[in-house]
Amino acid sequence: MSVPRKDGEFLHLIVKATGAKNVLEVGTSQGLSAIWMGLGLEETGGHLTTIEIDTERHDLARQNVTEAGLSHRITLLRGDAHREVAKLKGPFDFVFLDADKEGQVDYFRKLYPAKIVPGGILAVHNAIQQASSMRITWT
């Protein structure tokens, strides 16, 4: 359920390389990807907001983030991201979607274009393997 180390290292690199200041993660799981991005945000001076629906995973993520010493860089929200994303102000420099693949199009529509800065990055974990779940119909 957590991102592999190489994926976490890549997230860390993206945050640093882009100088991201305001980052959003949808689907916290155990908080490992949040920690990788949080380490990058230590260098950029930015902040991560991450959303997890499952109480046990949220609690474990909070513990892991605290133990990593990144509570000042990461805000953990517990709730349904379909509702929580709509409440967030943004705009975000970088968005990492790693929640329900069937919901990715809904998240995208709630974020783009108003809540992502021009030139911002939206990345979806496991998008190639789950491509059929994320088809967008443009109207």
Side-chain angles (χ1 to χ4, degrees):
M1 302 253 315
S2 293
V3 298
R5 180 181 181 99
K6 64 180 174 51
D7 295 2
E9 290 171 345
F10 185 66
L11 292 170
H12 179 250
L13 175 68
I14 290 174
V15 167
K16 286 178 28 177
T18 62
K21 298 284 187 187
N22 196 17
V23 177
L24 173 64
E25 175 184 45
V26 177
T28 312
S29 190
Q30 300 170 18
L32 299 181
S33 53
I35 290 169
W36 279 107
M37 289 185 283
L39 291 170
L41 291 165
E42 283 283 275
E43 295 186 41
T44 69
H47 190 82
L48 168 69
T49 300
T50 183
I51 307 167
E52 175 58 51
I53 194 168
D54 182 84
T55 302
E56 287 180 27
R57 287 192 302 251
H58 174 266
D59 292 345
L60 180 56
R62 181 172 302 285
Q63 178 183 343
N64 289 336
V65 165
T66 300
E67 288 176 10
L70 292 169
S71 297
H72 64 291
R73 292 273 172 225
I74 301 171
T75 298
L76 294 104
L77 302 176
R78 199 202 68 71
D80 183 337
H82 294 282
R83 289 189 205 109
E84 297 299 322
V85 165
K87 297 178 195 175
L88 298 174
K89 292 193 192 292
F92 299 99
D93 307 301
F94 178 57
V95 176
F96 179 57
L97 300 179
D98 194 19
D100 58 308
K101 298 308 179 223
E102 302 78 26
Q104 303 299 351
V105 173
D106 181 54
Y107 300 133
F108 176 80
R109 289 192 167 129
K110 289 176 178 168
L111 291 164
Y112 181 81
K115 295 183 182 186
I116 299 178
V117 299
I121 297 172
L122 186 141
V124 180
H125 198 238
N126 299 323
I128 294 171
Q129 294 96 331
Q130 306 274 335
S132 63
S133 299
M134 298 181 288
R135 296 203 188 280
I136 293 179
T137 303
W138 296 99
T139 56

